Each structure stands twice: as C-alpha cells, then as structure tokens.
C-alpha cells in the first residue's frame, strides 16, 4: 500500500544526524566524500538538481559566515553553510549554479525527497544560529558547539539547544462535512485547515480545542492524531489532527480568518482536483493540510 504521506515535503531524510550528545569527532571539510549545502539568505544554492555541493563547488559560492556539521548521508559527512543573501544574484549568472527557495523546491517535484528533508534540517539550524547569538540567561555572546547542534555561553555556562515550535493543524469534521478556513494571507480562493501554535503547559488536544474555539467559535470533542510534518519556515513541527465538532454555527474571528465554512466530501474533492465551480482551491500536496483533506475525501479521516 502506498504511504499517503509520501507527497509531503520535508518528511523524508536519510541524514544520520550528528547531535549535541555525540562524543564522536567532527570531520573536516577535506574528509573523503564530504558535501556541503549552502544557503544564500533563504535561497538554496543548487548545481543541477542537487544542493549537495562538493567542497570545491561550495568554495565558489563566496565567503561563508557560518558552517555547521549536519551528520552523514550514506556514510559521507555533510555540512551546511550560510553566505550573504545578495550572493544569490551573482550565482544566477554562473551557468554552474542556480538558486531557489526551499518552498518552491518542494513544489517543483524535481528534487529527491530525502534531500528536501536534509535541507529542512540545514535551513532550520542555520536560522536558529542566526537568531541565537547571545545567551538568553546573561546576554553574553555564545559560541557554536557540537558541530552546530548546541551553543555555549562561556560566561555563565548555559547550553542552548536548537528549538522546534510545535503547531497543531486540524481538519474539523461534523458528520459528512469538514470545516476549512481562509487566512487573509492566502492566495485568492484557497481554503485550508485551521492551525495554531501550542502554548506552554498545553496538550495537543487542548491546543486543537482552544485554537478552534478562538478562530471559529466551535466546541471540539474527540481529537485524533493523524500525521506530522517538519516545516522549516523557520522551524516548526506541524502536528496534523482530526477533530470532531460538537456544534455547527461558526463565529468567525475576522483578525484570524477572512472566511470559514463547511464543505462536503464532494466539494473538497473538487478543490483538490482543481474543478470546484467557484474556483476554490486547496494547499499543494507538499503541505500536510492537503493530506488531511485527502484523508477526509477518502473517508479515512
């Protein structure tokens, strides 16, 4: 049976990660089989249809501001590096390179899925380091450690670790209908599942119930986990759930949503297939909302 999550972006990775707990030596860039992924701002530097550059190719992308050791891919060491965002313009003029943002790469369908997962790790880690140059405990500049899976403060001894922000994303059902909403930021006509960040001390189930009530005024009963997806914008984990609504009347929060409504299975199928009579659409297959909507259509949600 085909894995229904197979089309999701960033969920596949063959990277054997280095970690802050690993005592193994960190290899050098001259190690046999070494490769590097390079990000110029939010754009990934590519050579053909891969972001895994040899050290010589990576050296041509410009002066690196930060280099991390991600781990090993099929036994070979892999590094990640950041170069200034403006470098991408010069690289576009070089026939050996092109650049693209990670979201667009996932949508292209030309990239190996496991490489997208590796790039998600690289982007999230590089972004975290760019934001965490100072100790949150005492304000002293911190230093990279454990190859990039930790930062350390020499002044107070605090260790800082990369963070992932959990987000609940939920398909809300009532009988044979599901509720979908439109954020003001969405493309015109696109509807998706509701979503929101977990708060401290909150369970997944309670976050689903709170976010749903805040955005559309519905009371939620049973909540079931369905699937998850790393979302490196900048570093979240999307926790996909299916939630059963105990009532039907929608009370919209206009600051959060431009619209929300109930849809039948046939209507959702039409949205997914691009044939809805009103021109309404769904998120692309790389997004977990698409997976939840497809599960609903197939009566698996």
């Amino acid at each position: 049976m085909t894995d229904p999550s197979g089309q999701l972006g960033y969920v596949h990775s063959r990277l054997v990660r280095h970690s802050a707990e690993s005592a193994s030596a960190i290899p050098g860039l001259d190690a046999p089989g070494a490769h590097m992924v390079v990000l110029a701002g939010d754009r990934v530097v590519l050579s053909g249809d891969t972001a895994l550059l040899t050290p010589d190719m990576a050296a041509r992308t410009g002066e690196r501001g930060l280099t991390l050791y991600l781990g090993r891919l099929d036994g070979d060491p892999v590094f990640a590096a950041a170069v200034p965002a403006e470098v991408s313009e010069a690289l576009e003029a070089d026939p050996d390179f092109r650049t693209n943002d990670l979201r667009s790469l996932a949508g292209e369908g030309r990239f190996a899925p496991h490489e997208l997962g590796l790039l998600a790790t690289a982007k999230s880690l590089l972004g975290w380091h760019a934001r965490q140059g100072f100790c949150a405990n005492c304000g002293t500049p911190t230093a990279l450690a454990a190859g990039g899976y930790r930062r350390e403060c020499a002044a107070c001894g605090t260790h800082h670790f990369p963070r992932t922000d959990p987000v609940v994303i939920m398909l809300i059902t009532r009988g044979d209908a599901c509720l979908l909403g439109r954020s003001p930021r969405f493309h015109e006509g696109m509807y998706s599942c509701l979503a929101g960040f977990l708060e401290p001390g909150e369970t997944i189930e309670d976050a689903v119930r709170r976010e749903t009530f805040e955005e559309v005024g519905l009371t939620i009963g049973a909540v079931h986990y369905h699937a998850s997806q790393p979302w490196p914008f900048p570093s979240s984990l999307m926790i996909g759930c299916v939630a059963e609504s105990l009532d039907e009347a929608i009370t919209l929060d206009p600051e959060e949503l431009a619209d929300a409504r109930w849809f039948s299975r046939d209507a959702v199928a039409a949205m997914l297939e691009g044939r809805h009579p009103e021109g309404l659409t769904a998120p692309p297959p790389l997004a977990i909302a698409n997976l939840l909507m497809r599960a609903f259509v197939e009566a698996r949600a």
Side-chain angles (χ1 to χ4, degrees):
M1 180 181 294
T2 302
D3 181 358
S5 67
Q7 297 182 70
L8 287 182
Y10 324 117
V11 300
H12 303 286
S13 180
R14 298 208 308 262
L15 179 71
V16 178
R17 301 164 184 266
H18 184 61
S19 76
E21 288 75 32
S22 176
S24 60
I26 297 172
L29 293 174
D30 57 351
H35 284 84
M36 178 177 288
V37 297
V38 178
L39 272 75
D42 285 333
R43 298 185 70 82
V44 181
V45 180
L46 308 165
S47 178
D49 287 332
T50 183
L52 294 167
L53 308 180
T54 65
D56 288 343
M57 288 285 285
R60 291 171 51 191
T61 63
E63 184 176 352
R64 297 188 291 269
L66 181 68
T67 300
L68 313 177
Y69 174 53
L70 300 182
R72 291 186 178 270
L73 176 64
D74 301 332
D76 295 331
V78 181
F79 300 84
V83 297
E86 55 270 21
V87 168
S88 63
E89 294 185 16
L91 292 175
E92 288 290 351
D94 188 325
D96 290 334
F97 297 105
R98 69 182 179 98
T99 68
N100 205 346
D101 67 274
L102 188 52
R103 198 186 302 256
S104 298
L105 280 179
E108 279 184 359
R110 297 166 54 183
F111 233 55
H114 77 88
E115 200 167 319
L116 287 173
L118 184 152
L119 286 172
T121 298
K123 184 179 187 302
S124 293
L125 277 175
L126 288 169
W128 177 76
H129 282 281
R131 299 187 299 273
Q132 298 295 323
F134 295 87
C135 179
N137 188 52
C138 72
T140 301
T142 56
L144 183 149
Y149 282 87
R150 186 171 72 228
R151 295 190 73 88
E152 297 179 353
C153 177
C156 70
T158 300
H159 287 186
H160 301 275
F161 298 90
R163 63 173 292 167
T164 295
D165 297 316
V167 178
V168 290
I169 180 166
M170 48 277 188
L171 184 92
I172 300 160
T173 66
R174 182 170 173 79
D176 289 327
C178 76
L179 183 136
L180 301 171
R182 267 190 50 72
S183 165
R185 302 183 301 274
F186 285 178
H187 297 301
E188 187 64 31
M190 190 179 85
Y191 281 74
S192 185
C193 302
L194 304 189
F197 287 98
L198 269 79
E199 294 186 351
E202 193 171 44
T203 66
I204 292 171
E205 293 85 354
D206 283 345
V208 168
R209 294 184 179 108
R210 175 184 53 78
E211 284 287 342
T212 301
F213 188 79
E214 289 176 356
E215 295 189 6
V216 291
L218 295 175
T219 302
I220 294 298
V223 177
H224 301 284
Y225 169 79
H226 188 82
S228 64
Q229 177 186 29
W231 195 248
F233 307 104
S235 186
S236 296
L237 177 67
M238 308 298 290
I239 303 169
C241 297
V242 178
E244 180 183 350
S245 179
L246 301 181
D247 42 38
E248 187 174 349
I250 297 169
T251 303
L252 195 71
D253 179 352
E255 293 186 4
E256 292 285 344
L257 295 173
D259 188 31
R261 62 173 93 164
W262 294 101
F263 291 90
S264 68
R265 281 190 170 85
D266 287 344
V268 176
M271 293 163 69
L272 290 166
E273 296 166 10
R275 54 177 179 80
H276 193 279
E278 297 178 48
L280 305 183
T281 60
L286 69 91
I288 194 169
N290 184 288
L291 176 71
L292 293 169
M293 294 166 70
R294 282 189 281 125
F296 173 73
V297 168
E298 297 166 13
R300 289 187 288 105

